[in-house]
Amino acid sequence: MTVEKCGIWVLGYGSLIYKPPPHYTHRIPAVIYGFMRRFWQSSVDHRGTPDSPGRVVTLIPHDEIMKTPRFLQDYVKYENHGNPITNLQPNDLHTIGVVYYIPADRADEVREYLDVREQNGYTLHEVEVHLDLTESDSSDQELMAAIHQLPEHETTGKKVLTTNVYIGTVNNEAFVGPETIEQTASVIATNVGPSGTNFDYLRMLCESMASMKTCEETDKYLEHLFKEVNRIRDTL
């Protein structure tokens, strides 16, 4: 097994965290730098309908944040606790996710599956992730031999991997951001689509994130959003 040349790696930062792709053989927590996660992508095929679109996550890159004041204001409000920031760097943006390894003999099948699953505005990209290996990962000699080949980041000290990821870019037709948390929460609290309730999407993502004890990072935006959705649901 070699990490880059045999099979594919796929990054999950939303529903793929709790509903992984088929046929994966390894799942490793990871930190993505240079992006912030937001529920700013509408969903008409999974967690909503064309008449009542739901909300699902996408990744907003550093360059878009810097040139769009409302994106930057949202980052300051949640990730930076409201404190002003004058020079936001890519490494200031941290998003927790997981990467899955798909063996070569299943790679085409999984790509086709994901191309269908990640419709409604998502496109395929490559990003660099910093691996956060678990104790069980460390006991897999074949995996560790492959990971050992990867470069180590000089600042984080973590092994760095380039992986496939589906992102709803800010110029795709299903992008609805920036929304306030109150606006997004009002949609998530009540919407339902073919894959289930919008609330369950958020709940399962938050629960999965909480179970990833190896990652030191937390997602303050998700915490605030989950709290606001539950507040709204309590009034229904």
Side-chain angles (χ1 to χ4, degrees):
M1 173 186 177
T2 60
V3 172
E4 301 256 349
K5 296 181 180 179
C6 183
I8 59 172
W9 289 86
V10 177
L11 170 67
Y13 60 91
S15 64
L16 281 171
I17 293 180
Y18 62 82
K19 187 182 178 183
H23 308 305
Y24 75 91
T25 58
H26 298 288
R27 178 185 190 272
I28 305 175
V31 180
I32 314 134
Y33 291 91
F35 296 86
M36 69 180 187
R37 174 173 33 212
R38 288 294 185 269
F39 270 80
W40 290 349
Q41 186 78 357
S42 70
S43 175
V44 300
D45 57 347
H46 286 297
R47 300 293 173 169
T49 65
D51 291 334
S52 183
R55 294 291 184 271
V56 288
V57 290
T58 188
L59 295 176
I60 314 298
H62 173 264
D63 60 341
E64 294 292 346
I65 295 170
M66 293 306 296
K67 69 183 183 183
T68 309
R70 287 188 64 190
F71 292 177
L72 183 59
Q73 291 167 10
D74 205 79
Y75 170 84
V76 167
K77 184 173 184 178
Y78 297 106
E79 282 84 353
N80 213 47
H81 311 289
N83 299 315
I85 189 166
T86 57
N87 188 25
L88 180 69
Q89 298 297 312
N91 284 348
D92 294 328
L93 301 169
H94 309 156
T95 300
I96 302 168
V98 295
V99 288
Y100 299 96
Y101 178 71
I102 314 297
D105 62 340
R106 296 289 193 174
D108 288 344
E109 177 185 348
V110 172
R111 282 194 190 97
E112 291 178 5
Y113 163 83
L114 291 173
D115 284 345
V116 173
R117 175 171 165 176
E118 304 296 329
Q119 295 184 76
N120 198 195
Y122 289 94
T123 48
L124 187 61
H125 303 263
E126 286 188 342
V127 296
E128 183 183 89
V129 299
H130 296 231
L131 301 180
D132 206 340
L133 297 167
T134 66
E135 191 172 316
S136 61
D137 295 325
S138 301
S139 65
D140 187 325
Q141 294 183 356
E142 183 186 23
L143 175 64
M144 292 309 297
I147 296 298
H148 182 71
Q149 304 168 29
L150 295 173
E152 188 174 284
H153 195 271
E154 61 181 11
T155 301
T156 67
K158 299 181 187 298
K159 292 292 187 177
V160 177
L161 175 72
T162 299
T163 180
N164 295 302
V165 61
Y166 288 83
I167 299 174
T169 62
V170 299
N171 57 5
N172 87 87
E173 62 184 11
F175 186 76
V176 296
E179 289 184 321
T180 66
I181 270 193
E182 292 75 18
Q183 290 171 322
T184 306
S186 67
V187 175
I188 293 175
T190 57
N191 260 60
V192 181
S195 295
T197 68
N198 211 165
F199 172 73
D200 278 345
Y201 178 107
L202 171 62
R203 176 185 60 79
M204 289 186 286
L205 175 57
C206 290
E207 290 175 354
S208 297
M209 296 281 291
S211 70
M212 293 167 60
K213 301 300 184 183
T214 60
C215 288
E216 298 177 358
E217 311 294 336
T218 59
D219 193 318
K220 297 300 182 184
Y221 168 83
L222 279 186
E223 292 175 359
H224 280 84
L225 179 60
F226 192 46
K227 182 178 180 180
E228 179 63 15
V229 171
N230 278 304
R231 186 194 67 79
I232 293 172
R233 284 168 56 85
D234 286 343
T235 66
L236 298 177

